[in-house]
């Protein structure tokens, strides 16, 4: 691996370029590579085949080698040669991604898997997004109390605490994050799950805010990820590099994730898939981590579309065959009192499972959704690729049949869970059960 300190020199001495110029170079280069490697989106084959996966990998290597990564603070290009990038992939391929988190009975191991692996992905889920002070603990508990949830991938963050707006890089960031950690520990104590891995810090995002939380009594290597995310597309700054070094020094597995958007600098599914691989390898070059999440969405935030599903599968399978990092994914969307909410997540985890992902980082909007999506992952694990592809297409069509029932993204956790009992309301359960019946008809072998 390239030593992290090496990025200091490359960030200060690489070619000078404005951000807009880099974006233009990127958009032209990725379309050239998609054409060169004859990568074509096929909605009939959402779980892509080996040939497409290998071509996406090669195009991603070329994209990173020919373009590099843009340092947003210095406005310089961090350059690589192709041999360096291939070495990053080879080193991980010879040591497939694996790491153990948690303490005692809550210890879990995330380990690279393939789409043909009968071992299901780890249900590594948790509350996400912005929560409110008055129901933060209940939101966390909805996941922690589910026995099949093996760890929390993330804990939701607060937007306001005690009337104070939480803002990164200020005292409020530290203030809110400490409050959240105390509430989380109370929930773990209440549910008998002390030692559980808690995943990514949500509220703390600046280097100072994150470092203030990593100490005895708050967070440590056994229960923490620190985000060093590369910025779409192929950009980073000093914050990511400082945090990558901090993770290495403290023995913390960094949270690596690559997100590319259809309709932004990537025009379509093919370009998005290639860019996900370039972003993954670029991030691994300085992060050195054994795990990495992928996320493909549209510019307007939509996910679980046919193109975004194909793009995820193409990138995940490219990694499965050529990198062997432990790949994760996020399967969640609209929270609504309709079967749509579960069908959307199920379409995603079914495809992810068939495409070789190791863990469901965010699975569902609530604890019971996570449980139901875990059942889908177990059912789909080891399914032959062509059969899985048909099941996934069936789920996509079922999901689309309910899309008109979603009246905006207005449903809240408090509308579907009783805060006193921290149990889902019967109406919500009924909608999820209806969705489960539809999933069985789609071919999910419960």
């Amino acid at each position: 691996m390239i030593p992290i300190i090496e990025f200091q020199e490359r960030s200060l001495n690489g070619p000078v370029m404005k951000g807009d110029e880099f974006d233009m170079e990127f958009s032209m280069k990725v379309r050239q590579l998609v054409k060169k490697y004859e990568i074509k989106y096929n909605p009939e084959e959402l779980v892509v085949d080996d040939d497409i996966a290998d071509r996406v990998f090669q195009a991603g290597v070329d994209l990173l080698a020919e373009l590099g990564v843009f340092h947003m603070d210095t406005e310089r290009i961090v350059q690589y040669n192709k041999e360096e990038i291939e070495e990053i992939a080879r080193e991980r391929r010879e040591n497939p991604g694996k790491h153990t988190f948690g303490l005692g009975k809550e210890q879990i191991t995330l380990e690279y898997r393939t789409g043909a692996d009968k071992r299901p992905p780890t249900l590594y889920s948790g509350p996400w997004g912005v929560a409110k002070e008055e129901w933060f603990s209940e939101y966390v508990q909805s996941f922690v109390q589910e026995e099949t949830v093996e760890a929390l991938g993330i804990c939701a963050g607060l937007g306001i605490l005690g009337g104070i707006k939480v803002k990164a890089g200020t005292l409020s960031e530290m203030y809110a994050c400490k409050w959240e950690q105390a509430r989380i520990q109370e929930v773990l104590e209440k549910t008998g799950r002390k030692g559980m891995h808690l995943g990514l810090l949500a509220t703390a995002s600046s280097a100072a805010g994150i470092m203030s939380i990593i100490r005895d009594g708050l967070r440590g290597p056994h229960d923490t990820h620190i985000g060093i995310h590369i910025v779409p597309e192929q950009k980073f700054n000093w914050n990511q590099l400082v945090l990558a070094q901090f993770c290495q020094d403290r023995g913390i597995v960094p949270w690596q994730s690559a997100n590319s958007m259809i309709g932004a600098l990537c025009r379509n599914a093919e370009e998005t898939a290639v860019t996900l691989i370039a972003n993954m390898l670029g991030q691994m070059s300085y992060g050195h981590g054994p795990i990495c999440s992928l996320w493909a969405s549209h510019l307007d935030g939509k996910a679980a579309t046919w193109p975004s599903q194909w793009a995820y599968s193409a990138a995940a399978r490219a990694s499965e065959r050529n990198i062997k990092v432990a790949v994760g994914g996020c399967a969640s969307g609209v929270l609504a009192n309709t079967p749509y909410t579960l069908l959307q997540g199920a379409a995603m985890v079914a495809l992810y499972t068939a495409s070789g992902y190791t863990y469901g980082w965010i699975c569902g909007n609530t604890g019971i959704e996570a449980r139901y999506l875990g059942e889908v992952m177990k059912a789909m694990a080891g399914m032959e690729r062509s059969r899985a592809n048909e099941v996934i297409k069936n789920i996509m069509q079922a999901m689309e049949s309910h899309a008109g029932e979603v009246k905006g993204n207005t449903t809240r956790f408090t509308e579907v869970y009783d805060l006193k009992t921290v149990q889902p309301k019967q109406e919500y359960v009924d909608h999820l059960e209806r969705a489960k019946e539809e999933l069985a008809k789609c071919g999910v072998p419960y």
Side-chain angles (χ1 to χ4, degrees):
M1 290 290 183
I2 303 170
I4 298 175
I5 191 61
E6 173 68 21
F7 288 89
Q8 170 109 4
E9 294 304 308
R10 298 191 192 193
S11 298
L12 293 174
N13 297 304
V16 175
M17 185 178 286
K18 293 295 183 182
D20 289 347
E21 295 172 339
F22 181 83
D23 289 344
M24 183 63 71
E25 289 284 335
F26 165 85
S27 62
M28 296 304 295
K29 180 58 63 177
V30 71
R31 67 183 63 179
Q32 291 169 8
L33 290 169
V34 166
K35 182 177 181 181
K36 173 184 175 180
Y37 285 97
E38 298 181 335
I39 301 167
K40 297 187 185 301
Y41 161 61
N42 179 4
E44 291 302 310
E45 194 170 64
L46 291 178
V47 185
V48 306
D49 62 26
D50 296 351
D51 179 53
I52 287 289
D54 290 345
R55 282 188 266 154
V56 166
F57 171 74
Q58 291 299 331
V61 169
D62 285 1
L63 181 59
L64 184 59
E66 296 179 30
L67 197 65
V69 174
F70 180 74
H71 196 295
M72 296 182 291
D73 293 330
T74 64
E75 295 191 318
R76 290 179 180 269
I77 306 299
V78 172
Q79 294 179 308
Y80 306 82
N81 59 54
K82 192 170 182 178
E83 290 72 24
E84 285 180 315
I85 299 167
E86 290 175 337
E87 179 69 6
I88 291 166
R90 184 191 65 78
E91 288 182 1
R92 175 54 61 206
R93 192 162 58 243
E94 293 178 354
N95 297 279
K98 180 178 180 180
H99 195 79
T100 297
F101 299 97
L103 297 174
K105 67 183 181 65
E106 299 300 336
Q107 197 170 84
I108 64 162
T109 298
L110 298 184
E111 186 173 4
Y112 161 81
R113 65 180 291 281
T114 71
D117 199 330
K118 294 182 179 180
R119 172 174 52 93
T122 299
L123 183 54
Y124 182 56
S125 184
W128 58 282
V130 180
K132 290 192 175 181
E133 185 178 348
E134 55 266 31
W135 47 265
F136 176 87
S137 294
E138 288 79 6
Y139 192 25
V140 175
Q141 183 178 331
S142 80
F143 287 87
V144 173
Q145 68 191 7
E146 295 290 342
E147 293 181 3
T148 55
V149 174
E150 300 173 70
L152 299 184
I154 190 172
C155 278
L158 297 179
I160 299 174
L161 177 59
I164 299 173
K165 289 186 178 180
V166 180
K167 184 177 180 181
T170 69
L171 291 173
S172 62
E173 179 185 22
M174 301 178 189
Y175 172 62
C177 202
K178 289 176 183 176
W179 183 93
E180 292 162 5
Q181 302 316 305
R183 303 293 81 72
I184 292 167
Q185 290 304 319
E186 289 172 358
V187 171
L188 296 184
E189 186 74 44
K190 178 181 178 180
T191 55
R193 303 203 68 176
K194 294 287 286 185
M196 191 178 199
H197 179 45
L198 304 176
L200 184 67
L201 290 164
T203 297
S205 58
S206 71
I210 289 170
M211 291 176 185
S212 72
I213 302 302
I214 307 302
R215 56 187 174 87
D216 290 345
L218 291 175
R219 289 288 197 99
H222 73 282
D223 66 356
T224 303
H225 284 311
I226 292 176
I228 59 163
H229 318 300
I230 202 161
V231 178
E233 305 292 351
Q234 289 175 234
K235 300 182 178 76
F236 62 8
N237 58 25
W238 290 123
N239 197 63
Q240 284 99 323
L241 294 176
V242 167
L243 289 173
Q245 185 67 60
F246 181 76
C247 287
Q248 183 171 289
D249 293 345
R250 295 298 182 92
I252 295 170
V253 171
W255 189 255
Q256 299 176 146
S257 66
N259 172 25
S260 294
M261 292 170 283
I262 300 170
L265 296 177
C266 299
R267 299 175 303 166
N268 50 42
E270 300 96 312
E271 293 176 9
T272 300
V274 171
T275 303
L276 283 171
I277 290 298
N279 279 331
M280 173 188 278
L281 290 167
Q283 189 165 187
M284 289 174 63
S285 72
Y286 64 86
H288 304 172
I291 69 175
C292 184
S293 288
L294 297 174
W295 176 247
S297 65
H298 293 259
L299 186 58
D300 60 4
K302 290 180 181 176
T305 66
W306 297 74
S308 69
Q309 291 274 76
W310 186 94
Y312 181 98
S313 181
R317 294 227 59 232
S319 174
E320 174 196 336
R321 290 176 52 77
N322 298 280
I323 305 173
K324 297 191 178 182
V325 68
V327 169
C330 174
S332 194
V334 175
L335 176 58
N337 272 316
T338 163
Y340 182 90
T341 187
L342 184 63
L343 290 168
Q344 182 182 37
M348 298 170 86
V349 299
L351 175 122
Y352 297 173
T353 301
S355 301
Y357 95 141
T358 297
Y359 59 93
W361 170 45
I362 292 176
C363 280
N365 302 278
T366 65
I368 190 173
E369 269 187 66
R371 183 206 311 170
Y372 281 30
L373 292 179
E375 292 175 357
V376 175
M377 293 194 298
K378 288 182 179 179
M380 296 295 295
M383 185 179 291
E384 191 272 327
R385 186 169 61 84
S386 62
R387 183 186 171 206
N389 191 64
E390 292 306 311
V391 172
I392 293 159
K393 290 194 295 181
N394 291 341
I395 300 173
M396 294 287 289
Q397 291 163 358
M399 175 191 76
E400 290 171 345
S401 72
H402 289 281
E405 300 167 6
V406 180
K407 307 301 180 183
N409 194 10
T410 58
T411 306
R412 298 288 182 266
F413 174 73
T414 53
E415 296 177 56
V416 298
Y417 263 70
D418 184 318
L419 294 187
K420 291 182 179 179
T421 63
V422 196
Q423 293 297 318
K425 296 177 181 178
Q426 191 58 48
E427 180 188 11
Y428 181 48
V429 175
D430 291 343
H431 286 304
L432 297 181
E433 286 292 334
R434 275 186 56 206
K436 187 171 177 179
E437 291 174 3
E438 293 194 40
L439 288 169
K441 292 177 182 177
C442 290
V444 177
Y446 288 107

